[in-house]
Amino acid sequence: MADRKSDFALPTLDDLFSTQEERDDARLEKIRDIPLDLIDDFPDHPFHVRDDEDMVQLVESIKTNGVLTPAVLRQKEDGRYELVSGHRRKRACELAGLTTLRSEIKDLTRDEAVVYMVESNFQRTTILPSEKAFAYKMRFEAMKRQGKRTDLTSSPVGTKLRTDEIIAQESGDSRNQIHRYIRLTFLVPELLELVDEGRIKMRPAVELSYLDEDSQRDVVEQIDINDCTPSHDQTIRMRKMFDSGKLTAEAVEAIMSEEKPNQRERIVLRGDRVRSLIPKNVQLKDTEDYVCKALEHYAKYLRHRSERDSR
């Protein structure tokens, strides 16, 4: 029975003998205005801070109301501060001409800070694939280092959850999708940018991530030349050739030069409208031939009319 006590988080003496108001006051003591020049960005922060329309609105809000939600910082050994959550708020304060950032100082380890940073930024409405990719990778590695986080149990029988299962439950993405995102971190910047732009889809991008840097650069070169991105089938073949040591620059060029079905010029005609103009005695199998002959006849008519008008 003694072992069961470890399953419960027992309240501390402070919790037992302090009021909610006192606990709120204790939290407020950790919220201070920290000079911007003492705050360092989070190392390898995967989320972009853009000076877009949303940023303009945030700047105006801060000018009018101040920073309503404090940023989260952790103090470093050298006395400076590291920004865990609030990179957009920090940038907005800079643009608003402020010199301090309203912040809450939290006592976090490096790995705890990584997990907190990723979780807080996943509340954004728009997240690029590249941002998710590096965020998932950072969080996955931090939780693996923490060790204890992978031993959490969520069922009465004590089934242990893998790190990717924990992240999947909290993020909404499946385990497989999380690993696909992490594979994107192996792409060269040019290919990763095309993924962010939506020109390369997830599955082809994952296949390309298994190529070495030189082969990926060959793909980038062919994309520039042909002005088209590889299909999923093409990336699968390139990966197979790479695994067998047969993927050369010439092989990449040959594959990328192929005409893909979605690149062929297509003319779409409404069937009901075309059929209404075709005599009923023309069978369906002869429709294409009838339409082509009709177009040839109409082209001759236009040509004769043009010649007549030019006289």
Side-chain angles (χ1 to χ4, degrees):
M1 293 294 292
D3 291 338
R4 292 182 61 83
K5 293 181 179 179
S6 61
D7 294 339
F8 300 93
L10 297 177
T12 65
L13 290 176
D14 287 341
D15 292 332
L16 289 172
F17 298 105
S18 63
T19 65
Q20 182 62 48
E21 183 179 358
E22 289 172 334
R23 289 192 291 271
D24 290 341
D25 288 342
R27 177 177 177 271
L28 287 173
E29 289 179 0
K30 296 182 179 180
I31 298 178
R32 304 195 297 272
D33 290 330
I34 304 298
L36 293 175
D37 57 8
L38 291 181
I39 303 174
D40 299 323
D41 289 342
F42 199 91
D44 301 318
H45 189 254
F47 298 95
H48 304 312
V49 176
R50 305 175 185 84
D51 290 344
D52 52 15
E53 183 62 30
D54 288 341
M55 178 61 72
V56 173
Q57 295 178 10
L58 181 57
V59 170
E60 292 304 313
S61 174
I62 287 177
K63 285 181 178 179
T64 304
N65 306 305
V67 177
L68 299 178
T69 303
V72 174
L73 312 180
R74 64 188 289 265
Q75 191 158 22
K76 303 196 297 183
E77 294 180 357
D78 60 3
R80 294 179 61 80
Y81 296 90
E82 186 174 272
L83 187 57
V84 179
S85 173
H87 287 73
R88 293 184 72 250
R89 278 162 281 174
K90 176 175 178 284
R91 174 59 177 162
C93 285
E94 293 171 346
L95 294 174
L98 304 182
T99 59
T100 61
L101 174 64
R102 186 166 178 259
S103 308
E104 179 180 0
I105 314 302
K106 284 185 174 289
D107 184 17
L108 300 170
T109 65
R110 159 60 55 200
D111 291 333
E112 288 171 343
V114 169
V115 174
Y116 191 102
M117 179 272 295
V118 172
E119 289 179 346
S120 62
N121 278 280
F122 263 51
Q123 305 305 314
R124 293 185 179 188
T125 56
T126 302
I127 304 177
L128 294 174
S130 63
E131 294 175 324
K132 264 194 173 185
F134 285 101
Y136 276 143
K137 184 178 182 179
M138 291 178 69
R139 183 175 179 184
F140 188 87
E141 292 174 347
M143 291 178 65
K144 292 289 283 186
R145 286 193 298 267
Q146 284 179 306
K148 60 181 180 180
R149 292 299 300 272
T150 63
D151 292 334
L152 296 178
T153 59
S154 62
S155 69
V157 295
T159 303
K160 292 184 177 180
L161 296 180
R162 295 169 28 158
T163 301
D164 53 5
E165 291 174 332
I166 297 171
I167 299 176
Q169 288 184 358
E170 296 177 356
S171 69
D173 283 322
S174 68
R175 283 172 45 200
N176 288 339
Q177 188 72 346
I178 288 169
H179 286 289
R180 291 189 190 104
Y181 273 114
I182 292 176
R183 282 303 315 176
L184 299 184
T185 64
F186 293 90
L187 292 173
V188 296
E190 294 88 343
L191 290 178
L192 190 55
E193 184 176 352
L194 292 175
V195 177
D196 281 344
E197 294 173 355
R199 293 184 60 191
I200 298 181
K201 301 303 181 184
M202 175 68 79
R203 291 185 180 275
V206 169
E207 297 295 336
L208 292 174
S209 74
Y210 288 96
L211 308 184
D212 64 10
E213 182 176 346
D214 288 340
S215 296
Q216 290 189 38
R217 297 287 180 194
D218 291 335
V219 174
V220 172
E221 181 178 353
Q222 291 304 314
I223 290 175
D224 292 338
I225 293 174
N226 295 290
D227 193 27
C228 70
T229 56
S231 66
H232 189 204
D233 174 71
Q234 288 175 324
T235 58
I236 289 174
R237 283 187 284 142
M238 282 190 272
R239 179 182 172 184
K240 287 182 178 178
M241 293 184 70
F242 176 77
D243 291 341
S244 63
K246 298 178 180 178
L247 187 65
T248 61
E250 291 74 20
V252 171
E253 180 180 3
I255 293 175
M256 292 286 291
S257 297
E258 297 170 352
E259 183 182 51
K260 295 183 292 185
N262 62 354
Q263 290 177 308
R264 295 170 189 155
E265 185 177 8
R266 294 185 299 172
I267 299 176
V268 180
L269 301 176
R270 282 179 49 196
D272 56 344
R273 183 182 180 190
V274 173
R275 187 62 195 175
S276 67
L277 299 173
I278 298 176
K280 293 183 179 180
N281 63 335
V282 177
Q283 298 182 16
L284 185 61
K285 64 182 179 66
D286 299 324
T287 299
E288 181 180 350
D289 185 54
Y290 182 91
V291 169
C292 289
K293 287 182 178 179
L295 290 173
E296 290 174 0
H297 179 76
Y298 186 63
K300 289 179 181 178
Y301 163 76
L302 292 177
R303 186 167 57 254
H304 291 323
R305 191 176 72 172
S306 176
E307 291 174 353
R308 184 189 61 197
D309 293 343
S310 62
R311 291 172 185 171

